[in-house]
């Protein structure tokens, strides 16, 4: 212990300099959005590389499980081919109606958190592949999340298992809208809130993305209604949604480029300024 104190006293000037330097860096980053974005981008680049190496090892150890999943997916696609008269009419992405192939980037999840309140995914696609913040992320089963930040080769995604996530969704059979959120409890369920009492809701009804979103195409699968509550404060329905996706086990995903988002956002800004 005495040696530690002697070291601190002996190098007090250097330690004070390093402390003040760190404080100045933090203040600069917090007060300037440009510096903050550069730090986030650099952190994405470093953490993305580390996660990719870890993911490569994990994938090697789980090749059998991955092969089983691919076999099931191939069987599903083959069954679609056998059931249609014209195989050329089949869409590349079953849930992405109206999306051109060049508007969809196939990416791989190299890191996935799901055991905290603010969960994120890391993908091995970034700005060099045309990925930007606020792009939607889905897979063959349904909704996954929204792109948050990017570096040249990686991007982080706000998972739907994130208490800050809020996505426009609707009851498929009736088109009544609500907001999809997560209460931070179960990884298998999300909640659809602010559903009007006039809506006809039943256990087992399918929930999909709504038409009011500029991030996701309409009718992307989300899950089915498991439980129905009435919020005493708002007098609206709150629905427990059993997710189609196993958010603890994600492989390849599709990132959706929305060409209309910038146009709509600029139009709304112009309207507000008038």
């Amino acid at each position: 212990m005495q040696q530690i104190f002697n070291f601190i006293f002996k190098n007090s000037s250097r330690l004070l300099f390093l402390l003040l330097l760190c404080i100045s860096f933090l203040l600069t980053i917090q007060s300037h959005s440009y510096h903050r974005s550069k730090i986030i981008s650099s952190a994405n680049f470093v953490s993305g590389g580390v996660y990719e190496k870890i993911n490569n090892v994990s994938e090697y150890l789980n090749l059998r499980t991955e092969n089983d999943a691919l076999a099931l997916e191939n069987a599903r696609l083959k069954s679609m081919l056998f059931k249609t008269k014209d195989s050329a009419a089949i869409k590349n992405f079953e849930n992405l109606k109206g999306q051109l192939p060049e508007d969809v980037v196939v990416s791989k999840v190299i890191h996935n958190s799901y055991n905290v309140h603010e969960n994120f995914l890391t993908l091995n696609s970034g700005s060099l592949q045309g990925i930007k913040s606020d792009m939607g992320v889905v897979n063959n089963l349904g909704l996954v999340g929204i792109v948050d930040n990017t570096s040249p080769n990686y991007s982080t995604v706000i998972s739907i298992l994130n208490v800050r996530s809020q996505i426009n969704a609707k009851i498929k059979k009736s088109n009544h809208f609500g907001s999809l959120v997560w209460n931070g409890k179960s990884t298998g369920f999300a909640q659809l809130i602010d559903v009007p009492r006039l809506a006809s809701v039943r256990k087992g009804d399918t929930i999909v993305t709504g038409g009011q979103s500029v991030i996701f195409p309409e009718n992307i699968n989300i899950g089915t209604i498991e439980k129905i509550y009435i919020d005493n404060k708002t007098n609206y329905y709150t629905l427990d949604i059993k997710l189609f996706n196993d958010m603890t086990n994600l492989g390849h995903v599709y990132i959706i480029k929305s060409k209309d988002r910038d146009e709509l956002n600029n139009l709304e800004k112009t309207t507000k300024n008038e």
Side-chain angles (χ1 to χ4, degrees):
M1 183 63 72
Q2 185 63 38
Q3 291 179 348
I4 295 175
F5 285 128
N6 290 336
F7 175 80
I8 293 174
F9 289 138
K10 186 177 180 180
N11 299 278
S12 57
S13 298
R14 293 187 181 129
L15 293 174
L16 179 61
F17 170 76
L18 290 174
L19 177 62
L20 293 175
L21 183 64
C22 291
I23 292 173
S24 64
F25 274 131
L26 288 173
L27 292 175
T28 301
I29 293 168
Q30 290 179 350
S31 59
H32 295 82
S33 59
Y34 174 78
H35 295 86
R36 186 165 57 252
S37 66
K38 287 298 181 183
I39 290 294
I40 291 173
S41 178
S42 299
N44 281 346
F45 177 79
V46 174
S47 61
V50 173
Y51 288 144
E52 187 166 35
K53 297 298 182 185
I54 295 173
N55 183 71
N56 289 339
V57 175
S58 178
E59 280 189 339
Y60 178 78
L61 296 175
N62 291 283
L63 280 177
R64 182 171 182 175
T65 302
E66 189 71 19
N67 286 338
D68 289 343
L70 289 172
L72 289 173
E73 180 67 8
N74 286 336
R76 186 182 69 85
L77 293 173
K78 285 181 180 179
S79 69
M80 290 171 60
L81 285 170
F82 291 144
K83 290 177 183 178
T84 184
K85 295 180 180 179
D86 182 9
S87 60
I90 297 176
K91 298 292 184 181
N92 287 334
F93 307 99
E94 186 178 354
N95 285 325
L96 304 184
K97 294 179 180 178
Q99 298 294 316
L100 299 174
E102 59 266 27
D103 296 333
V104 179
V105 177
V106 180
S107 188
K108 184 169 65 174
V109 177
I110 60 174
H111 179 71
N112 178 19
S113 69
Y114 47 81
N115 54 0
V116 294
H117 281 177
E118 294 187 4
N119 293 295
F120 288 84
L121 297 85
T122 304
L123 310 181
N124 67 344
S125 300
S127 57
L128 292 179
Q129 290 76 40
I131 309 305
K132 299 179 181 178
S133 298
D134 295 329
M135 286 184 174
V137 181
V138 302
N139 66 4
N140 61 301
L141 294 178
L143 199 65
V144 172
I146 299 174
V147 175
D148 185 34
N149 287 299
T150 64
S151 66
N153 295 300
Y154 303 98
S155 54
T156 54
V157 174
I158 299 176
S159 168
I160 56 175
L161 300 184
N162 188 312
V163 294
R164 295 196 289 115
S165 174
Q166 189 163 335
I167 298 169
N168 178 252
K170 68 177 183 178
I171 303 168
K172 188 174 184 179
K173 71 173 186 179
S174 68
N175 286 327
H176 282 97
F177 290 91
S179 295
L180 186 78
V181 299
W182 186 55
N183 60 13
K185 295 180 180 179
S186 172
T187 58
F189 293 86
Q191 289 67 46
L192 188 65
I193 62 173
D194 297 334
V195 178
R197 292 281 299 277
L198 292 174
S200 173
V201 293
R202 290 184 180 179
K203 180 178 178 179
D205 286 349
T206 299
I207 304 300
V208 296
T209 52
Q212 298 179 13
S213 173
V214 296
I215 296 176
F216 295 98
E218 192 173 6
N219 294 319
I220 297 290
N221 286 331
I222 298 174
T224 57
I225 298 174
E226 182 70 16
K227 292 182 180 179
I228 303 168
Y229 307 93
I230 296 176
D231 191 317
N232 293 327
K233 294 182 180 179
T234 63
N235 207 31
Y236 282 80
Y237 282 129
T238 292
L239 311 177
D240 267 352
I241 310 303
K242 185 176 181 181
L243 300 173
F244 288 132
N245 258 319
D246 177 1
M247 295 298 295
T248 67
N249 183 23
L250 297 172
H252 286 83
V253 295
Y254 308 134
I255 306 171
I256 307 168
K257 298 180 180 180
S258 175
K259 294 182 177 179
D260 299 329
R261 186 184 67 238
D262 293 338
E263 180 182 349
L264 288 170
N265 287 339
N266 290 333
L267 178 62
E268 290 177 353
K269 287 180 182 178
T270 303
T271 304
K272 290 179 181 179
N273 293 331
E274 289 180 352

